[in-house]
């Protein structure tokens, strides 16, 4: 069933991949000395200068590695390695590091090491894994998300960072890393996923017992809402924990959260709002949530029985086709590809809404990369 559906869409998949590659052959050269986050008047900004510890700073390198693996074009490798080197400045600023070191180094240095075995890339990924593991609270059984006074706060995004620990556990034959990741995933599954399969963005846990204290609205439209990118992090994050551990409860949770996403996506004509429970007007969307969820659904489709594959794979393709047809810019006047991403539901901060964001380009490309049949799992 999986191969049949992909085969039926092969012309479209190949066409999108070719459009991405054609555009990025030029854009990668223009931005080869940067770590982009967004664009300003169509031109990539540079977080290497603006904020080298920013949580998204691994995505540009990861994006280039996707294109390198998919095309073999050495220009992409060169740009990926340049960005990886630029990110070293963040390792020197320990106070600026947080749980998102997985986002920053697993798909940049980590991919480089898995491809070529370089000692320096291995050390970078290892430093990041140890930093992430050091944030673990053994009494509460969770990885602390942020610095400052928010010691008991855990965000759903964290599920995407713990694959770095699964890697470290295998790489060093050291079960401590996997034990931390498993413990954290179990805590998130218990406290973030609601009975209706929506997820909290931020949960505060008791530092000594790990018990639920309270939830916060986070980047959604309010407390108890359904922030779509958080929902997407859960879809992809839990299926990744299933892939790395084989634990059935993680697959079951990924399916529950994905089913909720699919039901709401279909009710919104596959154009994903910032929050599934936001007001009807203004109609605010977040294309990045769709791209992330599609990546997770493709992996779910690979993991479930034959009669379940269609739901997840066709839903992923429907999301991606909507992005391709309505929200992608393949021209050169705009250096980003996926438009209309949104950081959060913040009416008072319009600069955070409907903008290109680097992880939108990354996850959209990763989803097409998966459909092309490339086997290397970046996470």
């Amino acid at each position: 069933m999986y191969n049949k559906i992909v085969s039926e869409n092969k012309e479209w998949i190949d066409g999108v991949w070719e459009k991405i590659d054609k555009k990025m052959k030029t854009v990668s050269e223009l931005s080869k000395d940067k770590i982009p986050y967004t664009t300003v008047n169509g031109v990539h900004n540079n977080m290497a200068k603006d904020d080298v510890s920013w949580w998204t700073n691994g995505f540009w390198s990861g994006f280039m590695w996707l294109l390198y693996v998919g095309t073999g074009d050495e220009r992409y490798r060169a740009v990926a390695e340049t960005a990886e080197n630029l990110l070293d400045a963040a390792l020197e600023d320990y106070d600026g590091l947080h749980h998102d070191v997985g986002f920053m180094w697993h798909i940049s240095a980590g991919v480089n090491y898995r491809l070529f075995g370089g000692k320096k890339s291995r050390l970078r990924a290892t430093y990041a894994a140890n930093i992430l593991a050091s944030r673990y609270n053994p009494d509460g059984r969770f990885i602390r998300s942020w610095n400052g006074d928010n010691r008991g706060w855990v965000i759903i995004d964290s599920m995407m960072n713990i694959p770095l620990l699964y890697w470290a556990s295998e790489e060093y034959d050291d079960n401590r890393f996997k034990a931390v990741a498993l413990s954290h995933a179990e805590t998130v599954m218990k406290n973030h996923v609601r009975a209706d399969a929506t997820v909290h963005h931020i949960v505060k846990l008791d530092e000594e017992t790990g018990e639920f204290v309270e939830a916060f609205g986070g980047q959604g439209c309010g407390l108890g809402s359904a922030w779509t990118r958080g929902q997407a992090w859960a879809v992809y994050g839990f299926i990744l924990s299933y892939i790395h551990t084989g634990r059935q409860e993680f697959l079951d949770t990924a399916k529950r959260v994905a089913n909720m996403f699919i039901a709401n996506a279909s009710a919104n004509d596959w154009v994903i709002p910032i929050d599934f429970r936001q007001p009807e007007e203004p109609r605010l969307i977040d294309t990045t949530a769709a791209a992330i969820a599609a990546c997770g659904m493709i992996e779910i489709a690979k993991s479930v029985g034959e009669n379940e594959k269609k739901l997840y794979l066709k839903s992923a393709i429907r999301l991606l086709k909507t992005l391709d047809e309505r929200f992608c810019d393949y021209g050169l006047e705009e250096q980003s590809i996926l438009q209309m991403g949104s950081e959060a539901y913040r009416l008072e901060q319009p600069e955070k809404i409907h903008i290109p964001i680097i992880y939108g380009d990354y996850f959209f490309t990763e989803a097409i990369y998966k459909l092309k049949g490339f086997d290397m799992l970046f996470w």
Side-chain angles (χ1 to χ4, degrees):
M1 178 63 71
Y2 183 96
N3 290 335
K4 180 176 182 292
I5 294 171
V6 170
S7 179
E8 291 170 348
N9 290 277
K10 185 177 186 303
E11 183 178 355
W12 169 76
I13 295 165
D14 290 345
V16 173
W17 183 260
E18 289 170 9
K19 287 187 290 186
I20 294 170
D21 180 36
K22 181 180 179 180
K23 173 168 179 164
M24 295 314 297
K25 273 181 166 60
T26 299
V27 173
S28 64
E29 288 293 315
L30 295 172
S31 299
K32 64 183 179 181
D33 297 316
K34 295 180 178 181
I35 300 179
Y37 172 68
T38 186
T39 59
V40 179
N41 297 322
V43 178
H44 277 143
N45 72 334
N46 186 8
M47 298 304 285
K49 293 182 177 179
D50 296 340
D51 185 355
V52 75
S53 297
W54 186 240
W55 72 275
T56 67
N57 284 353
F59 283 106
W60 174 245
S61 181
F63 184 16
M64 294 298 100
W65 283 124
L66 286 170
L67 291 168
Y68 172 78
V69 174
T71 67
D73 191 329
E74 288 291 332
R75 82 185 73 196
Y76 294 130
R77 176 181 178 180
V79 178
E81 291 181 338
T82 296
E84 181 183 332
N85 291 332
L86 290 170
L87 202 52
D88 279 350
L91 287 173
E92 298 169 7
D93 181 23
Y94 181 82
D95 290 341
L97 298 176
H98 33 70
H99 78 118
D100 284 323
V101 293
F103 280 128
M104 295 171 73
W105 279 282
H106 190 43
I107 57 173
S108 58
V111 170
N112 194 354
Y113 170 67
R114 281 176 275 158
L115 286 171
F116 300 108
K119 180 179 179 181
K120 203 164 187 179
S121 293
R122 184 176 188 258
L123 285 174
R124 288 166 173 142
T126 301
Y127 283 140
N130 278 280
I131 289 165
L132 184 58
S134 75
R135 302 183 69 84
Y136 181 67
N137 178 332
D139 293 330
R141 303 183 75 247
F142 64 86
I143 296 169
R144 174 184 176 183
S145 289
W146 292 321
N147 302 327
D149 295 331
N150 307 319
R151 288 186 292 271
W153 289 29
V154 178
I155 65 175
I156 191 63
D157 318 39
S158 62
M159 289 301 299
M160 293 296 299
N161 286 303
I162 59 175
L164 174 65
L165 299 179
Y166 295 130
W167 166 80
S169 191
E170 287 191 17
E171 180 66 21
Y172 288 94
D173 191 24
D174 188 338
N175 194 55
R176 293 176 304 156
F177 293 102
K178 183 177 181 181
V180 168
L182 273 172
S183 178
H184 179 78
E186 291 167 352
T187 297
V188 172
M189 183 169 59
K190 174 184 175 183
N191 291 286
H192 283 73
V193 183
R194 304 176 185 129
D196 65 357
T198 60
V199 298
H200 295 295
H201 177 202
I202 306 171
V203 167
K204 180 180 180 180
L205 302 174
D206 187 287
E207 293 178 63
E208 297 181 358
T209 67
E211 292 300 311
F212 180 96
V213 176
E214 62 180 315
F216 302 97
Q219 289 171 257
C221 69
L223 184 62
S225 64
W227 178 49
T228 56
R229 194 164 77 250
Q231 199 76 20
W233 292 140
V235 172
Y236 203 1
F238 280 108
I239 191 58
L240 287 171
S241 275
Y242 170 73
I243 290 167
H244 287 291
T245 69
R247 294 273 291 270
Q248 183 66 36
E249 60 265 41
F250 295 144
L251 175 59
D252 293 342
T253 300
K255 287 165 59 178
R256 284 184 57 222
V257 178
N259 292 346
M260 181 273 177
F261 197 104
I262 291 166
N264 281 273
S266 63
N268 284 276
D269 298 322
W270 302 91
V271 175
I272 305 306
I274 298 177
D275 194 306
F276 283 131
R277 292 174 178 164
Q278 71 188 32
E280 287 294 319
E281 296 295 336
R283 193 177 188 217
L284 304 178
I285 66 174
D286 181 12
T287 56
T288 72
I292 297 161
C295 286
M297 290 174 194
I298 292 169
E299 294 300 333
I300 294 174
K302 295 176 183 177
S303 302
V304 296
E306 190 66 18
N307 295 330
E308 291 184 87
K309 293 182 183 299
K310 180 169 68 173
L311 171 65
Y312 300 105
L313 186 55
K314 284 199 168 185
S315 296
I317 291 173
R318 184 69 182 272
L319 286 168
L320 295 167
K321 284 187 173 180
T322 301
L323 295 178
D324 171 47
E325 294 164 6
R326 299 182 60 175
F327 301 109
C328 284
D329 187 329
Y330 297 107
L332 293 177
E333 290 187 7
E334 167 60 55
Q335 293 185 349
S336 65
I337 295 173
L338 188 61
Q339 310 302 305
M340 301 290 282
S342 294
E343 294 182 7
Y345 190 92
R346 295 288 183 273
L347 297 179
E348 72 281 10
Q349 295 177 295
E351 70 278 6
K352 295 180 179 294
I353 296 171
H354 297 171
I355 60 173
I357 305 175
I358 189 60
Y359 49 78
D361 284 1
Y362 173 88
F363 284 108
F364 178 72
T365 302
E366 187 187 78
I368 302 299
Y369 162 98
K370 291 176 187 291
L371 295 175
K372 286 280 290 179
F374 299 112
D375 294 329
M376 182 179 178
L377 179 67
F378 274 41
W379 304 93

